[in-house]
């Protein structure tokens, strides 16, 4: 017999500061003029994905080492999926050892950990480390590049095509400021990465005998210009000009500033800083729903506990101007008032949706906060008897 699903709708309203500002749509003009010299830029709010400022955001351009944002993302996802571990040792191939440009100058056959190579990619933009990790994650550089392009499609990056893992000059290798913001936004789901990207210098060992010291120096000079900045990746080639995908955080507000084809390094960092300062001075973020916050309880039949708490799988945030108030509505829908054990932590048990009038701000699954084991008949009777005695 099919079990009828009972929907429990809990509505509650919360007051938050909101904005009368009209957010920049993809077709719309910017609300402010920042006198940007760089060929293409985007300022994006990570929480909502809203573009707050843009110039030629969809123009296809070479992106130099900002390419490594996608490489970093695929490494982080592989670690998260337990396909690889940060402690895994990677053998440096002949191909990886012969990369040009910025590199660690590793030897063919030497072994470095995923953690060391990831640090080298982020802090010092090491091309040989990128090649080595591409081979390690993808099985070959060719397969890894296919992974890069497949992931780009999944993220809605419509104006991007990758040919290599590190951004060294190549035909048909390009992206756009908006697409770079999209993949950077995805990297922001792994906040531990900012411990690496905000590191100014780090010393590691290299060489087959671990007998050489290499001090990594961060290429992101914004770290010294703005204390809110904690990432992420710079780039430069003659064709690409000076580029950066910069991230920063104030309170719950995280912003991304992408700069492509700046005329010089000073302009690149100055304009990224200008975009970020504009965003932080104008907006703030509020979490209407916080990840892992208990939203409701559901009764459990024949479990070692009589109820399970459901929590939000993801945060739902709103972007707000710093001056005005607005009312938001949160609707909680539980799949059932009562469920049968066993229950696994992470099981989907409902949804929460936040709306601004008729406009949906965001939706998150509601999931079980813990495992609930199914108990046998005697245990169930014993638990029931204990509850009966306690009620008397």
């Amino acid at each position: 017999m099919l079990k009828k699903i009972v929907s429990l709708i809990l509505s509650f309203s919360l007051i938050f500061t909101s904005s009368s500002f009209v957010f920049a749509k993809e077709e719309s003009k910017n609300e402010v003029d920042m006198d940007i010299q760089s060929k293409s830029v985007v300022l994006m709010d990570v929480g909502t994905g809203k573009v707050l400022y843009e110039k030629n955001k969809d123009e296809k351009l070479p992106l130099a080492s900002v390419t490594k944002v996608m490489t970093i993302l695929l490494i982080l996802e592989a670690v998260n999926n337990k396909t690889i571990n940060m402690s895994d040792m990677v053998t440096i191939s002949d191909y990886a050892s012969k990369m040009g440009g910025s590199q660690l100058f590793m030897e063919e056959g030497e072994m470095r950990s995923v953690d060391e190579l990831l640090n080298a990619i982020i802090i010092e933009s090491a091309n040989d480390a990128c090649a080595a990790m591409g081979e390690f994650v993808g099985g070959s550089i060719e397969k890894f590049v296919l992974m890069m392009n497949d992931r780009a499609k999944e993220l809605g990056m419509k104006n991007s095509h990758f040919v290599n893992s590190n951004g060294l000059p190549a035909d048909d290798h390009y992206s756009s400021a908006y697409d770079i913001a999209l993949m950077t936004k995805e990297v922001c789901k792994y906040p531990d990465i900012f411990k690496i990207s905000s590191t100014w210098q780090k010393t590691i060992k290299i060489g087959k005998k671990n007998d050489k010291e290499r001090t990594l120096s961060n290429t992101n000079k914004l770290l010294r210009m703005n204390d809110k900045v904690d990432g992420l990746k710079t780039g430069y080639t003659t064709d690409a000009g000076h580029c950066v995908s910069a991230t920063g955080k104030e309170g719950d507000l995280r912003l991304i500033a992408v700069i492509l084809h700046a005329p010089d390094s000073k302009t690149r960092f100055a304009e990224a800083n200008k975009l970020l300062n504009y965003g932080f001075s104008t907006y703030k973020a509020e979490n209407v729903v916080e990840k892992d916050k208990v939203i409701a309880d559901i009764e459990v039949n024949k479990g070692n506990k009589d109820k399970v708490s459901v929590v939000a799988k993801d945060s739902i945030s709103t972007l707000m101007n710093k001056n005005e108030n607005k009312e938001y509505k949160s609707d909680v829908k539980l799949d059932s008032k009562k469920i049968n054990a066993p229950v696994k932590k992470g099981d989907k048990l409902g949804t929460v949706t936040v709306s601004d009038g008729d406009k949906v701000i965001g939706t998150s699954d509601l999931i079980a906060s813990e495992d609930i084991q199914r108990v046998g008949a005697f245990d169930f009777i014993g638990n029931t008897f204990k509850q009966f005695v306690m009620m008397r």
Side-chain angles (χ1 to χ4, degrees):
M1 178 182 292
L2 293 174
K3 188 175 181 179
K4 184 178 179 181
I5 297 178
V6 179
S7 294
L8 177 63
I9 303 178
L10 304 172
S11 298
F12 55 92
S13 296
L14 301 173
I15 302 298
F16 295 100
T17 305
S18 184
S19 173
S20 59
F21 177 81
V22 178
F23 294 113
K25 296 182 180 179
E26 296 190 6
E27 323 71 50
S28 65
K29 294 181 180 180
N30 295 310
E31 294 291 317
V32 295
D33 181 8
M34 294 197 203
D35 188 27
I36 297 295
Q37 298 179 52
S38 301
K39 185 175 286 188
S40 176
V41 307
V42 158
L43 176 66
M44 177 183 284
D45 167 50
V46 170
T48 62
K50 291 183 185 295
V51 174
L52 309 179
Y53 186 92
E54 62 92 2
K55 175 184 175 183
N56 301 327
K57 70 180 182 61
D58 294 319
E59 184 173 350
K60 297 176 181 178
L61 292 168
L63 65 161
S65 284
V66 179
T67 297
K68 295 180 175 77
V69 173
M70 179 59 81
T71 299
I72 292 164
L73 174 61
L74 293 179
I75 294 170
L76 294 174
E77 290 180 337
V79 171
N80 186 61
N81 295 334
K82 303 189 185 306
T83 305
I84 65 173
N85 296 306
M86 293 293 280
S87 60
D88 287 346
M89 300 304 292
V90 180
T91 302
I92 306 305
S93 69
D94 176 62
Y95 170 78
S97 70
K98 292 179 178 177
M99 289 292 102
S102 175
Q103 55 184 312
L104 290 182
F105 298 99
M106 294 181 290
E107 303 172 36
E108 179 187 358
E110 80 169 270
M111 300 183 72
R112 303 262 62 92
S113 69
V114 170
D115 180 67
E116 289 173 314
L117 294 175
L118 186 59
N119 272 268
I121 291 167
I122 295 172
I123 298 172
E124 197 160 309
S125 198
N127 293 323
D128 47 359
C130 260
M133 283 307 305
E135 292 174 324
F136 187 68
V137 174
S140 70
I141 283 295
E142 293 76 17
K143 290 180 180 177
F144 187 74
V145 170
L146 288 175
M147 291 172 63
M148 295 172 75
N149 286 309
D150 286 344
R151 193 69 180 99
K153 289 178 182 177
E154 292 171 358
L155 293 175
M157 297 168 60
K158 298 178 181 179
N159 296 296
S160 299
H161 186 261
F162 299 107
V163 174
N164 58 49
S165 64
N166 48 35
L168 285 170
D171 292 339
D172 207 31
H173 187 95
Y174 58 84
S175 188
S176 68
Y178 180 71
D179 284 1
I180 292 167
L182 288 179
M183 65 179 177
T184 304
K185 178 176 179 287
E186 202 68 15
V187 169
C188 292
K189 291 182 178 179
Y190 303 92
D192 285 348
I193 201 66
F194 299 116
K195 296 176 184 176
I196 300 176
S197 62
S198 61
T199 299
W200 187 246
Q201 285 190 327
K202 183 181 179 73
T203 300
I204 64 171
K205 297 282 189 179
I206 60 170
K208 288 183 180 180
K209 298 180 181 179
N210 286 330
D211 57 348
K212 301 173 186 176
E213 277 198 353
R214 182 74 156 80
T215 299
L216 308 177
S217 297
N218 207 310
T219 60
N220 186 4
K221 308 310 178 190
L222 275 171
L223 294 170
R224 294 292 180 92
M225 297 171 63
N226 190 326
D227 61 6
K228 299 179 183 66
V229 172
D230 54 11
L232 183 62
K233 194 69 207 72
T234 62
Y236 170 77
T237 63
T238 302
D239 288 341
H242 296 266
C243 310
V244 66
S245 181
T247 62
K249 190 172 188 290
E250 182 179 60
D252 291 321
L253 178 62
R254 178 170 286 283
L255 299 176
I256 298 165
V258 179
I259 303 288
L260 291 182
H261 213 291
D264 53 65
S265 184
K266 183 178 179 181
T267 301
R268 160 182 58 183
F269 293 127
E271 293 189 342
N273 198 41
K274 184 188 295 187
L275 290 173
L276 291 170
N277 284 336
Y278 162 71
F280 288 127
S281 65
T282 308
Y283 304 103
K284 69 174 181 177
E286 292 284 353
N287 283 329
V288 183
V289 174
E290 294 183 13
K291 180 180 178 180
D292 297 329
K293 182 178 180 180
V294 175
I295 303 297
D297 292 324
I298 296 178
E299 291 184 46
V300 179
N301 286 323
K302 299 182 179 179
N304 62 331
K305 294 185 178 180
D306 59 2
K307 65 180 180 179
V308 62
S309 295
V310 295
V311 299
K313 182 179 180 181
D314 300 297
S315 294
I316 302 175
S317 63
T318 59
L319 185 66
M320 307 176 183
N321 189 276
K322 291 188 172 181
N323 300 316
E324 298 192 17
N325 294 326
K326 198 160 193 173
E327 184 176 286
Y328 290 96
K329 179 181 178 183
S330 296
D331 290 330
V332 175
K333 295 184 179 180
L334 302 179
D335 294 338
S336 178
K337 289 182 177 180
K338 186 178 290 189
I339 57 177
N340 293 321
V343 179
K344 289 185 178 181
K345 182 178 180 179
D347 281 351
K348 181 178 177 297
L349 300 175
T351 59
V352 56
T353 302
V354 177
S355 302
D356 176 9
D358 295 330
K359 181 182 177 182
V360 174
I361 301 297
T363 299
S364 174
D365 288 342
L366 295 177
I367 58 175
S369 61
E370 61 179 330
D371 292 331
I372 303 293
Q373 304 298 326
R374 185 179 178 86
V375 297
F378 289 108
D379 290 329
F380 178 72
I381 293 171
N383 288 340
T384 303
F385 178 74
K386 288 179 183 178
Q387 292 177 17
F388 172 76
V389 171
M390 292 174 65
M391 291 174 61
R392 293 186 62 185

